[in-house]
Amino acid sequence: MAFKLWERISQADNVFQALRPLTYISLLGLAPFRLNLNPRKEVQTSTYSFVAGIVHYLFFVLCFVTSGLEGDSIIGYFFQTNITRLGDKTLRLTGILAMSTIFGFTMFKRQRLVSIIQNYIVVDEIFVRLGMKLDYRRILLFSFLISLGMLLFNVIYLCVSYGLLVSATISPSFETFTTFALPHINISLMVFKFLCTTDLAKSRFSMLNEILQDILDAHIEQYNALELSPMHSVVNHKRYSHRLRNFISTPMKRYSVTSIIRLNPEYAIKQVSNIHNLLCDICHTIEEYFTYPLLGIIAISFLFILFDDFYILEAVLNPKRLDVFETDEFFAFFLIQMSWYIVIIILIVESSSRTILEGNQSAAIVHKILNITDDPELRDRLFRLSLQLSHRRVLFTAAGLFRLDRTLIFTITGAATCYLIILVQFRATHHMEDAVGANASQLHFLHD
């Protein structure tokens, strides 16, 4: 019974069924669209999800204002210094800005997300004309795996965080903990949407490269067949036979039967150009839709990592600020929080980097075909495609300020280290001024 239920749930024959996990978060207002499984198979905006998003955002603002008026904060439960108060205010400001950006782009730019899905449908139809079909079941399982992973990750993180606070004899109010928890949940959902949409692009770029690789393999086989003709010497025959055996022994991944591609490579290259152009448009729309939300997410992640590092360092350098019974809980709480934001940044970076790398592989395969083929019509198509690949590159940025690739991890590490040193120097200067002021007051008292 359970096996049959799993088989029914895991089946996906089109992009609508593969996107089922993405539609579940529409209950929270972060995916304001719905999929119509009627014969027309359309993607439409959802009024219910739009209203749910507004209610969700207003609830967060209410909790945020209430906790602010009460003066409660998570770091304030442990200790209070000038820097911690500054850090708390900074994190509150960036938190409300990030949440406003996430909900603003989700609700008022929802048509961009709808157009992304509609363009994926067009791309899949072109693949069908070439005799290829996407593995929708793999995409569905990937979406389920990521959604379950994010759910478990956040449930464990929030439960452990609350348990550490209670263990440190701290009882946060409902508004304060809700203000703390909601940004984590919404950031996770936004990152989940980014992972799903970029994975769809990556899988289609992979199929695009499979078509080009199939054309390249056909020309290599044809080239080897000509070289192995009876007109060549026995030595050449043995040499090229060995090369052909090595080529055949290497298994090539195949998505489906590609006889259309090999019979008419000019038509296939023309369709490849159309697919690549559509995928570049999709990636550009993804960047426009996620650019400011991801900028806010990365900014708040950077600030949390920076201040969590400083709080831990402050507790190490001045352990008297903490009660001896709260020390373990303090270190565990901020280490877990810092790790959460590090994981979020890694997920964003890896998802965009893999899509970029997959999209940039096409140029190398195209030029390999150009080095082998002598067909003038095919070479003309390949030259046009080569120009298109050089001028339309896949790229994801955060509002054009920095690239969302693996170099971002190095940049954040360097910037966090630099600002952490500045905060430590500011702390040392502040303590030195306090010590000088205390000595001066003591000397004045003795003089009197």
Side-chain angles (χ1 to χ4, degrees), residues 301-412:
S301 300
F302 171 76
L303 290 174
F304 266 100
I305 292 171
L306 174 63
F307 282 104
D308 286 347
D309 279 332
F310 177 76
Y311 297 152
I312 294 172
L313 187 60
E314 174 74 11
V316 171
L317 296 177
N318 193 1
K320 294 181 180 180
R321 292 189 180 277
L322 293 174
D323 193 312
V324 66
F325 299 104
E326 300 176 359
T327 303
D328 294 337
E329 289 82 358
F330 174 86
F331 285 116
F333 180 85
F334 286 104
L335 281 174
I336 292 173
Q337 181 174 258
M338 182 174 61
S339 301
W340 190 91
Y341 284 101
I342 291 174
V343 170
I344 289 296
I345 290 177
I346 291 176
L347 288 175
I348 295 173
V349 166
E350 281 300 311
S351 178
S352 58
S353 295
R354 291 177 182 273
T355 306
I356 292 170
L357 290 175
E358 197 68 42
N360 292 336
Q361 287 182 2
S362 303
I365 304 175
V366 167
H367 285 86
K368 287 181 181 179
I369 303 174
L370 279 171
N371 292 333
I372 295 176
T373 184
D374 294 324
D375 187 347
E377 293 184 3
L378 182 59
R379 289 181 65 86
D380 180 63
R381 288 285 182 188
L382 289 170
F383 274 123
R384 295 181 185 180
L385 179 58
S386 176
L387 287 174
Q388 179 175 319
L389 293 173
S390 63
H391 290 288
R392 299 212 67 183
R393 292 182 176 272
V394 180
L395 184 65
F396 296 105
T397 65
L401 297 176
F402 49 83
R403 295 184 178 183
L404 298 178
D405 54 22
R406 289 168 184 164
T407 60
L408 179 61
I409 297 177
F410 178 78
T411 304
I412 290 177

Side-chain angles (χ1 to χ4, degrees), residues 126-144:
I126 299 177
F127 276 122
V128 171
R129 295 176 203 162
L130 295 173
M132 304 184 73
K133 185 178 180 181
L134 199 67
D135 189 359
Y136 293 108
R137 189 170 186 268
R138 185 204 66 82
I139 297 174
L140 176 62
L141 293 178
F142 173 83
S143 300
F144 269 124

Side-chain angles (χ1 to χ4, degrees), residues 159-376:
C159 290
V160 170
S161 298
Y162 188 80
L164 289 172
L165 292 174
V166 173
S167 178
T169 65
I170 296 172
S171 298
S173 63
F174 172 79
E175 295 82 4
T176 301
F177 193 78
T178 301
T179 305
F180 165 78
L182 277 182
H184 292 83
I185 297 173
N186 293 322
I187 287 173
S188 299
L189 293 176
M190 200 69 182
V191 172
F192 170 67
K193 288 167 59 178
F194 182 73
L195 294 179
C196 288
T197 52
T198 52
D199 181 70
L200 290 174
K202 183 180 73 69
S203 59
R204 283 154 178 79
F205 275 120
S206 180
M207 287 184 64
L208 197 69
N209 294 333
E210 178 65 22
I211 296 174
L212 295 172
Q213 186 66 45
D214 198 22
I215 296 173
L216 175 62
D217 294 345
H219 281 78
I220 291 176
E221 292 171 2
Q222 186 179 17
Y223 173 78
N224 288 337
L226 291 174
E227 293 290 345
L228 289 173
S229 62
M231 299 176 61
H232 289 78
S233 62
V234 177
V235 177
N236 289 336
H237 179 81
K238 292 181 179 180
R239 184 173 69 249
Y240 290 111
S241 296
H242 179 68
R243 183 193 303 175
L244 183 60
R245 282 196 302 271
N246 290 337
F247 172 77
I248 295 175
S249 62
T250 305
M252 298 299 296
K253 182 182 177 183
R254 288 286 176 264
Y255 285 91
S256 62
V257 179
T258 55
S259 57
I260 299 176
I261 298 171
R262 295 202 174 200
L263 290 175
N264 195 348
E266 293 86 1
Y267 172 77
I269 293 296
K270 180 181 179 181
Q271 296 301 325
V272 165
S273 300
N274 294 333
I275 294 172
H276 182 267
N277 188 52
L278 285 172
L279 288 178
C280 288
D281 290 338
I282 290 172
C283 290
H284 181 68
T285 307
I286 291 174
E287 182 183 7
E288 288 183 341
Y289 181 76
F290 288 98
T291 182
Y292 288 104
L294 289 183
L295 176 62
I297 291 171
I298 293 173
I300 194 174
S301 300
F302 171 76
L303 290 174
F304 266 100
I305 292 171
L306 174 63
F307 282 104
D308 286 347
D309 279 332
F310 177 76
Y311 297 152
I312 294 172
L313 187 60
E314 174 74 11
V316 171
L317 296 177
N318 193 1
K320 294 181 180 180
R321 292 189 180 277
L322 293 174
D323 193 312
V324 66
F325 299 104
E326 300 176 359
T327 303
D328 294 337
E329 289 82 358
F330 174 86
F331 285 116
F333 180 85
F334 286 104
L335 281 174
I336 292 173
Q337 181 174 258
M338 182 174 61
S339 301
W340 190 91
Y341 284 101
I342 291 174
V343 170
I344 289 296
I345 290 177
I346 291 176
L347 288 175
I348 295 173
V349 166
E350 281 300 311
S351 178
S352 58
S353 295
R354 291 177 182 273
T355 306
I356 292 170
L357 290 175
E358 197 68 42
N360 292 336
Q361 287 182 2
S362 303
I365 304 175
V366 167
H367 285 86
K368 287 181 181 179
I369 303 174
L370 279 171
N371 292 333
I372 295 176
T373 184
D374 294 324
D375 187 347

